[in-house]
Amino acid sequence: MTGGPPRACVLGWPVRQSRSPLIHRHWLATYGVDGAYDPAEVRPEDFAAFVRGFAASGIVGGNVTVPHKEAAFALVDEAAPSAAALGAVNTLWLESGRLLGANTDGIGFLANLDEGARGWEGERSVAIVLGAGGAARAVVHALAERGFDKVVVLNRTASKAEAVAALAGRAGVAGGVDDLPRWLPRADVLVNATSLGMAGKGTLGVGLAGLRGGTVVNDLVYVPLETELLAQARARGNRVVDGLGMLLHQAVPGFERWFGVRPAVTPELRALAVADIETRA
Ligand code: NAP
């Protein structure tokens, strides 16, 4: 065990795209915490040894990004319910010598909507999620926990939609993107959890005919901040929420665990992240 200030990191391969250092370093400075947060580019084959060496390196925990989230889940001594449900960990910390893990993407997703569109749940009747990748898993689980009657997962690959819809238990419904027009008029919230709409990935290209005026539309993509889906919904007069707040809010629990201060997601932090997106995009 090394002495000195607590250190945390983000583990990824590659990791230079991660905005986690920007977020956590801002909070370290804001709250005057004597600590450090660094990117750690770790190959999949080195991941387990790196994490097992946390204590010896003075590392108190870290964020986990692609492609290590499932490997992190396999390594923890104890998984929080969020991580156990998803089989993936994005936040690691040491507690009395044990390695613990949680998945905070669902917390970030809900906090972003709670902050960005009060009352977004509507009747908690129908939530539509486009996509069935890692991010969709967290979103679908979170929507079911919020009490939606139906969480409708629509995806290009049908088998994946079924597996992800199962995370919502009895509320889960699986389908293809062709089913969207049928569900749109019933939706309280529509979420894009595909990678389409992201700079360089092509547009989602779905029509919103039939969408009710009160439906809130959320895109997990945040580069660009205003995706074609959000622009289309905004033009119809619907409330929209971009994906940046999810990224900022999912970081809160980790910082609190590692450094002992619960940080706030402020307009100042958002402005920093927006500037970074505009510079790097
Ligand atoms: P992923 O696991 O790779 O899943 C990608 C999803 O997009 C799959 O459902 C895939 O469908 C679909 N897709 C990709 N290309 C497609 C195409 N050409 N046509 C139709 N569907 C297509 O990615 P992820 O980790 O879930 O991330 C998804 C998005 O969420 C990314 O843009 C990521 O940046 C964003 N995200 C944001 C946050 C945040 O904090 N705001 C957090 C996590 C992720 P198939 O199953 O058919 O391949």
Side-chain angles (χ1 to χ4, degrees):
M1 185 82 178
T2 66
R7 295 172 50 216
C9 59
V10 52
L11 297 135
W13 178 261
V15 82
R16 69 187 147 284
Q17 80 290 351
S18 173
R19 290 185 167 83
S20 292
L22 178 135
I23 298 168
H24 291 287
R25 287 172 178 172
H26 170 77
W27 283 334
L28 285 169
T30 301
Y31 297 103
V33 174
D34 186 14
Y37 187 98
D38 294 304
E41 195 148 67
V42 180
R43 291 174 189 275
E45 58 270 33
D46 300 330
F47 181 78
F50 189 98
V51 171
R52 290 197 181 106
F54 269 6
S57 324
I59 296 175
V60 292
N63 289 119
V64 182
T65 187
V66 178
H68 300 313
K69 291 184 185 182
E70 288 78 18
F73 174 69
L75 273 182
V76 293
D77 296 309
E78 190 180 328
S82 54
L86 301 171
V89 158
N90 76 345
T91 305
L92 288 168
W93 69 98
L94 290 174
E95 206 172 289
S96 309
R98 298 174 75 229
L99 182 68
L100 276 69
N103 194 309
T104 64
D105 278 339
I107 293 174
F109 165 73
L110 293 174
N112 187 32
L113 281 166
D114 288 342
E115 183 183 77
R118 257 181 105 98
W120 62 273
E121 302 108 318
E123 304 292 314
R124 296 190 193 193
S125 174
V126 173
I128 305 176
V129 179
L130 302 173
R137 290 173 65 80
V139 164
V140 165
H141 184 253
L143 287 165
E145 294 236 304
R146 249 319 150 94
F148 277 83
D149 292 337
K150 289 203 188 313
V151 181
V152 180
V153 183
L154 306 179
N155 193 49
R156 171 178 65 178
T157 309
S159 56
K160 284 201 205 166
E162 275 158 32
V164 175
L167 292 168
R170 291 163 60 99
V173 178
V177 182
D178 290 353
D179 295 318
L180 183 62
R182 191 158 63 81
W183 286 104
L184 266 185
R186 295 178 56 188
D188 295 301
V189 61
L190 168 66
V191 181
N192 174 39
T194 74
S195 38
L196 295 175
M198 196 156 110
K201 296 271 181 181
T203 55
L204 187 59
V206 297
L208 296 182
L211 190 73
R212 288 185 289 124
T215 305
V216 171
V217 180
N218 170 226
D219 208 320
L220 300 199
V221 169
Y222 54 87
V223 183
L225 279 172
E226 180 90 342
T227 59
E228 184 263 340
L229 175 71
L230 295 191
Q232 206 188 142
R234 194 190 293 280
R236 294 174 62 89
N238 288 76
R239 287 193 294 167
V240 303
V241 180
D242 66 47
L244 182 55
M246 174 173 170
L247 176 75
L248 304 179
H249 282 284
Q250 63 77 32
V252 169
F255 190 92
E256 186 176 16
R257 295 256 183 221
W258 310 318
F259 301 116
V261 179
R262 184 160 183 89
V265 172
T266 57
E268 189 190 359
L269 174 60
R270 183 175 163 94
L272 262 183
V274 169
D276 187 65
I277 289 168
E278 285 167 355
T279 313
R280 288 211 250 162

